[in-house]
């Protein structure tokens, strides 16, 4: 009889429940529930409908009961940096504000009055991004101090969802590191700098490693879904789970976790918090098995998602990609420019960037997409050179995992501009990595090495040269 595991993988635009089990040594997936996600505006803030999200988590778990496939465990992963605060009655304080909200504007200067940028990087290894949790917390301290005063608990988004599932409050490591408040040497909260910044240290829980079982479904949840199971912490940061699923046991692995964001990097056994890494905007996020994901955040397919919504909402991503491949436009934009983070209109922003630089202005979905795909691939090539300079390694292969592994034209461009062999797949990397950690906990897979070998044998991997 198969042992089933449930991955609840929630991204910025959608979420899904994927059941996994091993069959003849291979991992088999079954998507049983999918639901939309997105930011809404409430009280002048861009927020997540966290109650709606949890409702979908529960509905998807009910599907397991309907199918008669009861998982031995469930693991949740989401995006990073966002959080909620709870009061002493465990009631949520304020909104679950989204990272694309502009509340952090000017908060970097407030942080640097107490802790310099150089000191922050040297003690956390996390790149400056204006949406990082540290700047969100500073915004609360400056604009809504009453929320911090009432707060008893700080929980990242997946940790809060786990609390609603199990009644257990736990803070998982990979997501915690994205706050820019964790010391990579101690692998614990940097309470010294928290105190300098005026953040209440009592609200931050002890940090748990991915692979920790925190408990079972609460009695209330058991009644709702019709069963109980273990609640396991995978790498709750979706990129952390995606990197678990990189199908290679090479000593030096280069990956691009390609989705809304493109996260391009490698795995290190020791963090690199040097000045040059800081100036090149690399980050040292916590990884599974006590590794560090030394990577750069690149804007990613958010740009394509945006122009699709604006110009061709009914066109599939596959058709957009094929149409872009037929274009001859050579214009390039700086894909990682902050202007593309949350523009009012992505199409107009790309066109404006081309016009400002004296290049051909793209017209229509195919040309705009072609500019974006070429710009992303060029950015990957530049990042490859920087990674090799930082690590002293030569990377012969690039593993593209996640939904972007389906973007054939982008994969071909990446191979062309980087002059490296590109292996694309698996596309469901985040859910697969989530499931793999649960299977390791249950001892169906011995360790990360066996998990990655299993993943390589289980899913289609395309090669581009």
């Amino acid at each position: 009889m198969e042992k089933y595991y449930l991955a609840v993988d929630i991204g910025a635009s959608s979420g899904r429940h994927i059941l996994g089990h091993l069959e003849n040594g291979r991992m088999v997936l079954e998507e049983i529930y999918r639901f939309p996600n997105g930011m809404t505006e409430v009280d002048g803030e861009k927020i997540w409908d966290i109650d709606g999200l949890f409702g979908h988590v529960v509905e998807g778990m009910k599907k397991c009961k309907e199918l008669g496939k009861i998982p031995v465990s469930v693991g949740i992963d989401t995006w990073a940096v966002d959080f909620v605060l709870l009061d002493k009655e465990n009631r949520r304080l304020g909104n679950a504000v989204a990272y694309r909200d502009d509340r952090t504007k000017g908060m970097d200067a407030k942080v640097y009055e107490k802790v310099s940028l150089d000191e922050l990087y040297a003690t956390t290894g996390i790149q400056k991004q204006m949406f990082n949790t540290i700047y969100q917390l500073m915004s609360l301290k400056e604009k809504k101090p009453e929320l911090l005063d009432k707060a008893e608990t700080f929980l990242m988004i997946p940790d809060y969802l786990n609390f609603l599932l199990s009644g257990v409050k736990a803070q998982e490591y990979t997501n915690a590191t994205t706050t820019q408040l964790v010391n990579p040497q101690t692998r614990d909260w940097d309470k010294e700098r928290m105190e300098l910044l005026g953040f209440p240290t009592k609200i931050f829980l002890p940090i748990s490693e991915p692979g920790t079982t925190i408990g079972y479904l609460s009695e209330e949840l058991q009644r709702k879904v019709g069963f109980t199971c273990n609640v396991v912490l995978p790498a709750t940061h979706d990129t952390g789970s995606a990197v678990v699923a990189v199908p290679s046991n090479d000593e030096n692995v280069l990956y691009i976790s390609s989705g809304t964001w493109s996260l391009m990097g490698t795995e290190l056994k020791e963090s690199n918090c040097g000045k040059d890494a800081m100036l090149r905007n690399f980050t040292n996020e916590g990884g599974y098995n006590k590794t560090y994901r030394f990577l750069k955040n690149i804007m990613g397919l958010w740009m394509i998602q945006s122009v699709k919504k604006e110009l061709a909402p009914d066109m599939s991503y596959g058709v957009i990609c094929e149409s872009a491949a037929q274009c001859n436009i050579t214009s390039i934009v700086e894909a990682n420019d902050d202007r593309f983070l949350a523009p009012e209109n992505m199409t107009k922003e790309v066109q404006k960037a081309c016009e400002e630089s004296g290049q051909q202005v793209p017209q229509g979905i195919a040309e705009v997409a072609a500019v974006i795909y070429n710009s992303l691939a060029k950015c990957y090539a530049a990042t490859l050179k920087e990674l090799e300079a930082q690590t002293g390694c030569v990377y012969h292969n690039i593993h593209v995992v996640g939904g972007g592994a389906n973007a054939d034209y982008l994969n071909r461009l990446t191979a062309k501009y980087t002059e490296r062999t590109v292996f694309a797949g698996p596309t469901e990397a985040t859910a697969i990595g989530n499931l793999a950690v649960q299977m390791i906990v249950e001892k169906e897979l011995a360790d990360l090495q066996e998990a990655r070998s299993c993943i390589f044998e289980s899913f289609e991997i395309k090669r581009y040269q």
Side-chain angles (χ1 to χ4, degrees), residues 220-348:
E220 180 183 356
L221 255 293
Q222 290 178 40
R223 288 192 293 271
K224 285 184 177 180
V225 302
F227 64 89
T228 192
C229 64
N230 290 325
V231 179
V232 170
L233 303 180
T236 65
H237 181 6
D238 50 12
T239 308
S241 276
V243 172
V244 169
V246 172
S248 172
N249 283 310
D250 292 346
E251 186 175 355
N252 299 315
V253 174
L254 186 66
Y255 57 81
I256 301 173
S257 177
S258 181
T260 300
W261 289 90
S262 291
L263 296 310
M264 184 172 183
T266 188
E267 288 180 303
L268 300 179
K269 290 184 170 57
E270 301 289 339
S271 59
N272 177 355
C273 302
K275 184 68 175 285
D276 193 44
M278 182 193 80
L279 292 174
R280 295 181 182 277
N281 223 19
F282 280 97
T283 198
N284 296 264
E285 295 175 352
Y288 178 74
N289 204 27
K290 300 188 185 301
T291 57
Y292 298 89
R293 290 176 286 120
F294 187 64
L295 60 83
K296 179 172 283 193
N297 285 47
I298 299 168
M299 203 63 70
L301 296 177
W302 155 254
M303 299 176 75
I304 293 291
Q305 293 164 4
S306 297
V307 298
K308 176 185 185 296
K309 184 177 180 181
E310 292 159 2
L311 297 178
D314 297 326
M315 188 179 288
S316 72
Y317 288 111
V319 171
I320 290 172
C321 202
E322 290 170 12
S323 300
Q326 306 307 313
C327 295
N328 296 318
I329 189 167
T330 59
S331 302
I332 297 291
V333 298
E334 177 50 63
N336 234 21
D337 194 307
D338 283 347
R339 69 191 297 169
F340 301 120
L341 179 62
E344 289 186 15
N345 186 289
M346 183 68 74
T347 302
K348 291 180 180 177

Side-chain angles (χ1 to χ4, degrees), residues 4-10 16-20 32 54 57-58 60-61 64 70-77 158 161-162 165-166 211-218 221 225 227-234 236 434-435 437-439 441-442:
Y4 291 99
Y5 305 84
L6 179 62
V8 183
D9 173 27
I10 308 177
R16 60 266 178 87
H17 290 57
I18 294 183
L19 279 172
I32 61 168
F54 185 67
V57 171
V58 173
M61 295 184 73
C64 297
I70 307 301
V72 297
S73 62
V74 57
I76 297 177
D77 64 78
L161 295 173
N162 280 328
L165 276 182
S166 66
T212 299
T213 300
I214 64 170
Y216 301 94
L217 300 185
S218 68
L221 255 293
V225 302
F227 64 89
T228 192
C229 64
N230 290 325
V231 179
V232 170
L233 303 180
T236 65
N434 181 328
L435 292 166
V437 170
Q438 294 183 60
M439 290 175 179
V441 170
E442 196 65 17

Side-chain angles (χ1 to χ4, degrees), residues 406-453:
N406 282 327
D408 179 77
Y409 182 46
L410 179 56
N411 294 331
R412 285 190 279 125
L413 290 172
T414 301
K416 171 186 172 183
Y417 289 132
T418 63
E419 298 180 332
R420 298 293 190 275
T421 300
V422 170
F423 293 93
T427 57
E428 299 287 0
T430 303
I432 291 167
N434 181 328
L435 292 166
V437 170
Q438 294 183 60
M439 290 175 179
I440 292 170
V441 170
E442 196 65 17
K443 297 183 169 46
E444 278 212 84
L445 294 172
D447 51 25
L448 180 60
Q449 184 174 4
E450 184 176 334
R452 284 176 165 166
S453 296

